[in-house]
Amino acid sequence: MNKQSNTYTIIYIIILVVVVGTALAATSLALRDRQQENINADKMSQILAAALITPDKGAIVEEFGKYITDQYVVNAQGDKIDGVKAFDVNVAEESKKPDDRRELPVFVCTTADGAVKYIVPVYGAGLWGPIWGYVAFDADGSTIYGAYFAHQGETPGLGAEIEKPAFSNQFEGKQVFKDGRFRPIAVVKAGQLPLDGEDYVNGISGGTITSKGVGSMLDNCLTPYKRFLQSLAESAQE
């Protein structure tokens, strides 16, 4: 065949595309398990971070198994849902559903001193993309023990600051039940106060939309846990 002909060029390109495509597909399949392991480990690390636990990179899975002593899914009535794994729940999809149709994951963490914390996921929208995180509660069902937040594409130095301890540390010790009412933590501009008397944290300076997104995320994702958290409070008083 004439190597200078158009036919030869077309056949050569087709073969090259097939060979390269096959190689890429084979590589993707070979790495799929490893990629999923990395995704799972990152999620485990974020859950632990809400409980103020920071394991070494190579010990995330081990530490998760050590500190997360139980996990389950509840509904908006606070009742456990059988047959659903908390770790596998797609929180992004659940956050779009009405409260009474959601599957709500709960991760139970037993810290080094034996204290029990209840970690729940949150998911919402920032300025440029999704934001998410985890909030850890004390056994009283009201006091926040720790929080972790992350984002996909918020502006560095502005909205992206939600992932920094300077922001998340503000949540420690805040209460979601005040005067007998459930009120998710408000995120307000520095110097301002929330209108309804709920506990609050200062938003990110220059990151107004992202800060509002965090506030809306907490309201949307924590409210369905109200009855579950109430049940924790009742158990703590017994």
Side-chain angles (χ1 to χ4, degrees), residues 25-108:
T27 301
S28 177
L29 287 173
L31 295 176
R32 180 175 297 176
D33 290 344
R34 178 62 61 85
Q35 291 171 341
Q36 189 59 51
E37 288 175 2
N38 290 338
I39 291 172
N40 290 345
D42 184 54
K43 182 175 179 178
M44 292 177 184
S45 177
Q46 294 180 23
I47 293 171
L48 290 175
L52 311 182
I53 299 170
T54 307
D56 293 333
K57 188 174 182 179
I60 294 174
V61 176
E62 179 183 351
E63 294 291 272
F64 186 83
K66 173 183 177 181
Y67 290 108
I68 302 302
T69 50
D70 196 8
Q71 53 179 292
Y72 46 82
V73 176
V74 299
N75 57 27
Q77 287 70 49
D79 301 320
K80 290 185 179 181
I81 302 175
D82 295 329
V84 184
K85 294 182 179 180
F87 198 83
D88 296 337
V89 172
N90 186 328
V91 180
E93 292 300 321
E94 295 301 316
S95 68
K96 301 173 186 177
K97 298 178 181 179
D99 290 3
D100 59 0
R101 291 179 52 198
R102 295 191 197 182
E103 295 177 344
L104 307 169
V106 177
F107 299 91
V108 183

Side-chain angles (χ1 to χ4, degrees), residues 4 6 17 24 33 47 62 70 75 95 99 114 117 150 164 169 181 196 201 207-208 210 214 221 236:
Q4 303 302 319
N6 290 336
V17 169
L24 289 175
D33 290 344
I47 293 171
E62 179 183 351
D70 196 8
N75 57 27
S95 68
D99 290 3
K117 313 298 176 183
K164 300 293 181 61
N169 287 352
R181 296 175 55 192
D196 204 23
V201 300
T208 303
T210 306
V214 174
C221 292

Side-chain angles (χ1 to χ4, degrees), residues 85-169:
K85 294 182 179 180
F87 198 83
D88 296 337
V89 172
N90 186 328
V91 180
E93 292 300 321
E94 295 301 316
S95 68
K96 301 173 186 177
K97 298 178 181 179
D99 290 3
D100 59 0
R101 291 179 52 198
R102 295 191 197 182
E103 295 177 344
L104 307 169
V106 177
F107 299 91
V108 183
C109 176
T110 302
T111 61
D113 62 359
V116 178
K117 313 298 176 183
Y118 296 85
I119 306 169
V120 302
V122 293
Y123 188 95
L127 174 60
W128 301 113
I131 56 178
W132 64 91
Y134 295 89
V135 180
F137 288 90
D138 283 339
D140 64 3
S142 178
T143 308
I144 293 180
Y145 177 71
Y148 172 88
F149 301 104
H151 65 92
Q152 180 171 295
E154 299 306 286
T155 307
L158 298 175
E161 295 297 299
I162 64 169
E163 66 183 0
K164 300 293 181 61
F167 177 71
S168 60
N169 287 352

